[in-house]
Amino acid sequence: MTDLAHPDRLAKLEAIRAAGADPYPARGLADATPIEEVLAGAGTPDAPGALHGQRVTVAGRLLGLRDFGKLIFAPLRDRTGRLQTGLKKDALSEWWPQRKWLDGGDLVGVRGELGFTQKGEPTIWVDEVHLLAKAVAPPPEKWHGMSDTEARYRRRYVDLWANEGVLETFVARGKVLSTIRRVLEAEGYIEVETPTLHPIAGGAAARPFVTHHNALDADLYLRIAPELYLKRLIVGGMERVFEVARNFRNEGVSTRHNPEFTMLELYEAQADYRRMMEITERLFEGCARAVTGGTEVSFRGDTYSLAAPFERKRYADLFRDANGIEFDDEPAVAARAQELGLKDPGDRWKLMNDVFEATVEKSLTGPIFVTDYPLAICPLAKQSPEDPRFAERFEVFIAGMELGNAFSELNDPAEQHRRFEEQVASKDPEAPGEVDLDYVQALEYGMPPAGGLGIGIDRLVMVVTGQDSIRDVLLFPAMRRAAAEVALEAPEEAPAT
């Protein structure tokens, strides 16, 4: 046992065992009905539902005990909701001495008749109690939840039931993922899986995590993006593919960034970045409807409509409007960067984009597509046939936060080879360290015109659930290893109110 195990609870544990009972039985209550269904079937005192007066079974976690002598009220919570249970001495005469074994936080199953209290609250009047797992660590103080942010993230297994709305956020995340799959499968996309360990870090500009494969005696990289493997499948004739991929980038942690995150990437033959805008709108609107029932979402104090169509503005126009200079006026951009206090990264185009991020992105309330990025910062995108300075690329923003990135995909093998060589020669620590010759060879077999799209799932969930930090939509966000256990807020539980 750890220091969290409370002496009083450990004593009760021993008393249970001494009485010949099992505090951790091998079988639960397989016939338990979800609380959500029980509540739906309860109706009201004036209009009783189909389950009113029926004997029902539920299982979940006790959210405290209010003992009135011959009557105990004990709210119970499962994954679907919360329901009050009423335990009367007269109905539980043989079991009644065992009530002293129970504490808030214990997992129990109960059976009894569904009815109402005098105040009209749906209640199971219990005639059978089963202890399913004794909790020897106490819940947070007074059932006000865990207010310590670090403790919440480290002990998500408590946060999920102790804090209102947390579990619902992750239910919503599941709805986002199922909606994405449903929408794309209806469009003829095939879900695929590509390698997580890559011999070359590529497909995006980021610092990779490096590991070593002993049998091959070779360094491998946790993928920063599945892009180049998915486009190999387009070469192979799969034509419409997508992957919900766990990606890894050896970078900082913030309200928008986690080193391990989830991306949707998809590629479609015979498409371009305009088609990817349509898919993006369809996915965003579908996810909003799945979570909220409509197209409006509340995020960081503002309301946004995710109904199509989204606003569209060109990168160069936004840059000019914000800075009063052209994006490719190198001396003017350098002067503007100095004025903003930006560090020169040693590359004119990266400096230009740093100025864009500092002066434009925060104003992109959206949802908005920023289109036609400068070609120099788009090594995998097709050049615009209208203006060779630009690439057919967009990023989609909401509340100043980028949620997605898309291209008309470059499929010229010689041009792709040249751009890869430029990346390697740049010595940029976020660029690939070598040319991916296998990918170039794949393009030499011919890749059809194609559009590709990447969407940050974690950020999309933030928007549709109204969560300010990426940590609040990740079940187990990355954290520095604690030097010691983070204590909960009290040594013992308090009754539910």
Side-chain angles (χ1 to χ4, degrees):
M1 295 291 184
T2 72
D3 292 342
L4 284 178
H6 196 276
D8 290 347
R9 289 171 177 252
L10 292 174
K12 293 178 181 180
L13 185 68
E14 291 308 311
I16 294 168
R17 286 177 168 147
D22 187 352
Y24 303 104
R27 301 287 181 270
L29 299 185
D31 60 337
T33 301
I35 285 176
E36 181 180 56
E37 293 183 22
V38 174
L39 290 171
T44 67
D46 295 332
L51 292 181
H52 180 263
Q54 300 297 309
R55 194 164 187 262
V56 297
T57 302
V58 298
R61 191 179 296 273
L62 284 176
L63 300 182
L65 299 157
R66 289 181 291 163
D67 193 337
F68 297 99
K70 295 183 179 181
L71 171 64
I72 297 173
F73 284 118
L76 197 67
R77 179 188 176 109
D78 71 2
R79 73 184 190 282
T80 67
R82 169 180 173 146
L83 176 64
Q84 180 168 260
T85 66
L87 290 72
K88 295 180 179 180
K89 182 178 180 180
D90 291 346
L92 294 160
S93 56
E94 291 187 14
W95 174 87
W96 197 248
Q98 299 178 26
R99 74 191 188 283
K100 299 297 184 181
W101 294 347
L102 293 182
D103 292 295
D106 289 350
L107 292 162
V108 302
V110 299
R111 292 188 172 97
E113 184 177 313
L114 180 62
F116 296 94
T117 63
Q118 291 181 348
K119 294 182 178 180
E121 182 174 358
T123 300
I124 296 178
W125 299 107
V126 177
D127 58 40
E128 191 177 321
V129 180
H130 298 268
L131 177 62
L132 303 178
K134 180 64 186 171
V136 295
E141 182 185 24
K142 297 180 182 178
W143 294 98
H144 291 164
M146 301 173 72
S147 60
D148 183 277
T149 302
E150 183 175 353
R152 288 183 55 223
Y153 297 147
R154 291 190 187 280
R155 297 206 186 125
R156 186 70 86 187
Y157 42 84
V158 178
D159 184 40
L160 283 165
W161 50 264
N163 284 331
E164 291 293 330
V166 175
L167 187 148
E168 289 74 16
T169 293
F170 292 100
V171 170
R173 183 184 177 104
K175 291 179 180 178
V176 166
L177 291 169
S178 61
T179 298
I180 286 170
R181 288 186 165 97
R182 185 173 63 253
V183 169
L184 293 180
E185 287 168 359
E187 291 281 339
Y189 281 82
I190 301 169
E191 184 170 9
V192 297
E193 295 174 309
T194 62
T196 300
L197 293 173
H198 290 186
I200 300 173
R207 293 179 182 269
F209 287 94
V210 185
T211 188
H212 188 79
H213 190 282
N214 293 331
L216 296 178
D217 191 23
D219 284 344
L220 296 172
Y221 303 90
L222 289 178
R223 71 175 165 207
I224 57 177
E227 176 169 350
L228 300 184
Y229 281 97
L230 291 171
K231 288 195 284 193
R232 286 173 169 92
L233 301 181
I234 298 297
V235 172
M238 295 190 76
E239 293 190 347
R240 296 189 181 192
V241 295
F242 78 95
E243 182 170 12
V244 177
R246 299 294 284 179
N247 293 346
F248 306 85
R249 300 184 183 179
N250 199 352
E251 298 168 346
V253 175
S254 73
T255 58
R256 301 184 183 189
H257 299 92
N258 193 71
E260 178 181 3
F261 61 100
T262 304
M263 286 283 294
L264 164 70
E265 289 214 16
L266 62 90
Y267 294 86
E268 179 179 334
Q270 316 308 329
D272 63 8
Y273 76 143
R274 295 173 183 83
R275 162 70 172 162
M276 295 299 103
M277 292 183 201
E278 296 174 4
I279 292 289
T280 301
E281 289 171 337
R282 198 164 301 160
L283 289 170
F284 279 32
E285 182 171 339
C287 290
R289 291 187 184 278
V291 172
T292 70
T295 59
E296 288 194 347
V297 297
S298 296
F299 180 61
R300 293 181 175 170
D302 291 309
T303 299
Y304 301 90
S305 172
L306 300 192
F310 297 172
E311 185 180 9
R312 293 159 168 75
K313 287 192 176 181
R314 299 180 74 251
Y315 182 105
D317 297 337
L318 290 165
F319 191 99
R320 183 190 314 110
D321 293 344
N323 297 286
I325 56 177
E326 296 297 329
F327 78 96
D328 55 354
D329 185 337
E330 186 175 0
V333 170
R336 179 63 171 142
Q338 188 173 18
E339 180 184 328
L340 293 168
L342 299 177
K343 183 179 179 181
D344 188 347
D347 179 276
R348 61 171 291 197
W349 298 112
K350 288 193 70 174
L351 184 64
M352 170 213 66
N353 201 51
D354 289 345
V355 171
F356 181 88
E357 291 178 354
T359 60
V360 177
E361 288 190 358
K362 61 186 177 183
S363 67
L364 299 174
T365 55
I368 181 174
F369 293 120
V370 177
T371 69
D372 305 301
Y373 276 62
L375 183 67
I377 59 172
C378 307
L380 295 166
K382 187 178 287 292
Q383 188 175 48
S384 169
E386 286 80 28
D387 189 330
R389 298 178 300 165
F390 299 105
E392 290 198 341
R393 171 189 176 187
F394 74 77
E395 290 188 356
V396 59
F397 289 83
I398 296 175
M401 180 171 68
E402 182 246 320
L403 278 80
N405 186 22
F407 310 144
S408 296
E409 300 296 335
L410 179 60
N411 59 348
D412 180 334
E415 176 63 12
Q416 185 64 82
H417 195 175
R418 185 189 69 78
R419 293 195 202 174
F420 277 163
E421 288 180 330
E422 281 187 353
Q423 281 187 297
V424 174
S426 73
K427 304 301 181 183
D428 183 345
E430 294 187 348
E434 62 180 289
V435 172
D436 191 338
L437 290 175
D438 181 78
Y439 178 68
V440 174
Q441 289 173 350
L443 294 184
E444 289 175 343
Y445 284 97
M447 184 175 85
L453 168 66
I455 292 174
I457 298 296
D458 308 315
R459 292 184 180 184
L460 178 56
V461 174
M462 286 172 62
V463 170
V464 297
T465 61
Q467 300 298 322
D468 288 347
S469 172
I470 196 171
R471 291 185 170 193
D472 291 319
V473 299
L474 299 173
L475 282 167
F476 301 102
M479 300 184 70
R480 189 184 302 277
R481 187 170 182 177
E485 288 289 338
V486 180
L488 292 179
E489 296 167 17
E492 183 57 294
E493 72 280 356
T497 57

